[in-house]
Amino acid sequence: MASRTSGTVVVHPLVLLNISEHTTRTAAQSKAGSLTNAPLVCGALLGRQLENQAEVFLSFELKFNARDGGGPAPYELDDSHFLTRMDQMKQIFPEDEFIGWYVVGSSIQVTPGIAVLHQQIMRALPTALLLVFDAAFETGDGGAALPLAVYDTLPPTRVERVKLQQNFGAVSNESTAAVDYYVESASDDAIPLEIDTVWASHLVPLRISIDSGEAERVAIEHVAHVSRPTTMEIMLGEESVGGASSMVVAGQESEQNVPVVLTSRMATFLSSQRNAVDMLYRDITVLKAYVGEVISGEAPFDPEIMQLVQRMLCNRPVVQNDEMFDLAMMQEETNFHMTAYLANITTTASVVRNLALRSNAALSAARNKHQPYVNTNREGGMYDGSSGMSSMFGGGGRHARQRGFGHFR
Amino acid sequence: MDASDALKLFELDNNVVPLSESDEKVYCFDEQLQRDQLDQKPWKKDPRYYRKVEISSIALVKMVMHARSGGDIEVMGLMLGKVVGQTMVVLDAFALPVEGTETRVNAHHESYEYMVQYLEQCQAAGRQEPVIGWYHSHPGYGCWLSGIDVETQTLNQRFQEPFLAVVIDPKRTMSAGKVDLGAFRSFPEGHQATKDQETDSDGFQSVPLNKIEDFGVHADKYYPLDVGYFKSSLDQRLMERLWRKHWVATLSQSPLITNGEFTTHKMLELAEKINIFSKDTKKSVSAGQVVRESDAIAEEVSQGHASNTIKGRLFGGA
């Protein structure tokens, strides 16, 4: 319920890849025993925050130092490291600011440990976003959803102490919407409170949407479809042969991964378009089923969804009977046909040229070697129909082969 | 709730993260192993020792985004990674706050401070790999090393081996819908590339006419490496999930509009090349090249057209 009325956050895929790499690296290092820092995978999120919508563009790793004495917060943020890195990022990306932080765990719940660190972050930025990444990929929806949750920190309000503690007990993955998270703010003694209440900020889950810039999209598609999973072949530095055996066919995509072969590029492009259309079809089917159920009375009527559906349907026929649009489409098609025709002509001209060159070469070579066999009267008949040509080739070839074998016996 | 319990829930449980054995080896930097490999200095005996490059997913995404963000201006940055046998592995990349022009050899000077500081920060945050090379962009004119680039690279290879040069063309990347990237290493000075090792001089690149001289003169001073791309198991699973939200972007892309100007430019170039070809007996432009370029242009246009038709049928049809 809460997620409907709250704001949205736009996350860029680069951020997710960064987080994934950070996780893999930390896990690999800790398994190998060469971890230099704490086994926490946390980092800062950079981006922009407009009134109701936040956009996360980048991320970088944060350093946490072990605090002496353990206690409730054995790790603390290394401020100087953080500030230095922020400065550096500002030099290259002047428009992006620090808007939150991410942490990687085994679920998308906000555990008390996370809450404690969030308090520290809140000192630097009271409205920090919290992104929790589930490295175990156990989020619900049958494994289709993205394994992350983003929470927004609201300004602190009076909250009963009981509420603070009780919700951390629930650790089920499907009920994120039902659980309310509160993080205690730094204590402010100036304002007296009733017993059993504290100042705490509510963490509200945001709706996540993914967006990418053009270059990002091309690169991400490349990563998704062309990159091979790491194999031992990289380790040994061997030439991997085609990589077909070591390749994992992801989901429904089955493109070939043969690099730089022109013919399969078109197939790749078309199949990715088809997959996208497939997803669209699936979504529309779901919507249709829902509307059907509402009509038959099985599902509850939700005005917000219905409004969105109606808006979508109204948008559709905008360009159906538009003259200008039809004209533009025809122009584009003409352009395409002309380009294809041009390319064909170029190829044909090149093929004919090649043929002429080779025939000439063959003819002159044959003539030099096999004087008695070649009928010089038929010079001009080179291009007189295919039978003449092929007999010339055939004649020259046969004799050349015989001579050749004669030499090598 | 007990505080230590709470933390146990929080600290990364390694068994939970999908991590294959090869992931561990690739992503974990073993300093001793690295030093052993480098002590041998195998590149001194064989200038073509390193034959392959493997680029990780984030390195690729960052480099492509940075190259594109420069627009028509060349940008540059550094890559972090390590070597494994005859393969160089690039694990990460970062941008340098310097606007490159093709006339500066030592653009590095101004960015040294930035670079040193950045590396310090990386080390502190747990990323231990050293710098393995540099990358820069050639917007619109292909992936090869210009004269200045070759000089810079040769200099680097004298003092900072092992070092790699990567060139990205963001315009061709966008136009083809596929990443256009090349990795090169230069030969030490005085090395003569033997005939049987030389790759086809126009190779895989179609170079615009105004740069073709620069390309030709230096083409035998460096050699290309095979490029492969890899991702971790976690990346893989993430990509699968991501696709479910990301397909919208794929469908709504319109390559014809994005690349219209560039396509026209390429066709004009091609026309000029054909002119030169038919008049010039020296044949500085080969027939195969011309055909390949025209095929490439036609293919891109047909891709754009196909996507347009699909959308037309889907959303505008009766």
Side-chain angles (χ1 to χ4, degrees), chain B residues 162-177:
Chain B
F163 216 70
L164 176 70
V166 160
V167 182
I168 299 185
D169 185 344
K171 288 208 166 156
R172 293 217 182 149
T173 300
M174 298 310 300
S175 146

Side-chain angles (χ1 to χ4, degrees), chain A residues 273-350:
Chain A
Q273 293 281 310
R274 191 189 179 287
N275 285 325
V277 174
D278 213 16
M279 299 297 295
L280 179 63
Y281 177 69
R282 238 184 273 186
D283 280 358
I284 292 183
T285 322
V286 167
L287 274 179
K288 217 169 112 177
Y290 171 70
V291 172
E293 277 178 21
V294 168
I295 292 178
S296 67
E298 285 167 5
F301 177 75
D302 185 345
E304 217 176 289
I305 295 186
M306 288 317 217
Q307 197 183 39
L308 288 171
V309 170
Q310 188 170 35
R311 209 186 297 164
M312 184 187 80
L313 289 174
C314 284
N315 273 336
R316 225 187 116 248
V318 162
V319 289
Q320 250 176 353
N321 291 318
D322 191 25
E323 252 184 45
M324 295 294 287
F325 182 73
D326 284 341
L327 184 65
M329 285 290 273
M330 267 210 301
Q331 276 180 342
E332 188 266 310
E333 186 149 345
T334 317
N335 275 340
F336 158 64
H337 282 306
M338 287 207 322
T339 319
Y341 186 44
L342 255 184
N344 263 331
I345 291 180
T346 317
T347 317
T348 315
S350 161

Side-chain angles (χ1 to χ4, degrees), chain A residues 246-266:
Chain A
S246 57
M247 203 168 62
V248 173
V249 175
Q252 24 346 24
E253 287 104 14
S254 54
E255 294 100 348
Q256 314 163 6
N257 273 3
V258 184
V260 202
V261 174
L262 290 178
T263 46
S264 72
R265 253 208 283 185
M266 190 58 170

Side-chain angles (χ1 to χ4, degrees), chain A residues 17-286:
Chain A
L17 276 183
N18 265 337
I19 297 179
S20 150
E21 195 263 349
H22 189 192
T23 316
T24 315
R25 190 167 24 100
T26 313
Q29 281 173 352
S30 109
K31 259 207 176 146
S34 60
L35 201 57
T36 49
N37 288 341
L40 307 175
V41 186
C42 321
L45 296 172
L46 300 175
R48 277 165 243 178
Q49 181 130 34
L50 312 166
E51 332 151 340
N52 207 22
Q53 177 160 311
E55 199 164 350
V56 185
F57 287 97
L58 306 159
S59 67
F60 64 84
E61 302 89 12
L62 282 177
K63 188 171 164 228
F64 281 85
N65 298 322
R67 198 191 278 176
D68 302 320
Y75 293 109
E76 72 172 332
L77 180 61
D78 187 336
D79 284 329
S80 63
H81 173 91
F82 170 60
L83 288 171
T84 327
R85 277 202 108 172
M86 269 309 294
D87 273 341
Q88 290 205 316
M89 288 287 158
K90 274 287 188 182
Q91 280 186 40
I92 308 221
F93 306 105
E95 297 157 356
D96 293 328
E97 301 161 343
F98 174 59
I99 55 171
W101 69 299
Y102 68 83
V103 65
V104 176
S106 331
S107 72
I108 55 173
Q109 303 295 314
V110 180
T111 61
I114 295 180
V116 155
L117 282 171
H118 192 69
Q119 267 183 331
Q120 293 187 18
I121 303 283
M122 269 163 59
R123 259 186 290 137
L125 184 69
T127 55
L129 293 175
L130 167 62
L131 190 154
V132 187
F133 187 90
D134 172 12
F137 285 86
E138 275 172 33
T139 40
D141 287 9
L146 284 171
L148 50 117
V150 182
Y151 300 95
D152 191 13
T153 314
L154 295 182
T157 53
R158 285 198 181 86
V159 169
E160 288 139 45
R161 190 180 290 274
V162 185
K163 258 197 179 166
L164 250 190
Q165 286 155 349
Q166 98 192 142
N167 289 302
F168 289 133
V171 200
S172 70
N173 275 322
E174 285 88 39
S175 57
T176 41
V179 181
D180 286 329
Y181 295 110
Y182 292 90
V183 174
E184 194 173 337
S185 330
S187 59
D188 188 355
D189 293 329
I191 306 172
L193 293 169
E194 300 88 25
I195 307 180
D196 284 347
T197 58
V198 288
W199 284 111
S201 302
H202 190 181
L203 292 182
V204 177
L206 296 173
R207 219 175 15 197
I208 304 174
S209 78
I210 305 281
D211 194 15
S212 49
E214 299 171 330
E216 203 175 351
R217 189 185 47 75
V218 172
I220 295 286
E221 272 183 26
H222 188 98
V223 168
H225 304 321
V226 179
S227 297
R228 296 168 2 243
T230 54
T231 59
M232 294 312 280
E233 283 152 356
I234 298 181
M235 272 298 301
L236 304 171
E238 279 167 12
E239 302 276 338
S240 60
V241 185
S245 53
S246 57
M247 203 168 62
V248 173
V249 175
Q252 24 346 24
E253 287 104 14
S254 54
E255 294 100 348
Q256 314 163 6
N257 273 3
V258 184
V260 202
V261 174
L262 290 178
T263 46
S264 72
R265 253 208 283 185
M266 190 58 170
T268 317
F269 176 77
L270 284 178
S271 57
S272 74
Q273 293 281 310
R274 191 189 179 287
N275 285 325
V277 174
D278 213 16
M279 299 297 295
L280 179 63
Y281 177 69
R282 238 184 273 186
D283 280 358
I284 292 183
T285 322
V286 167

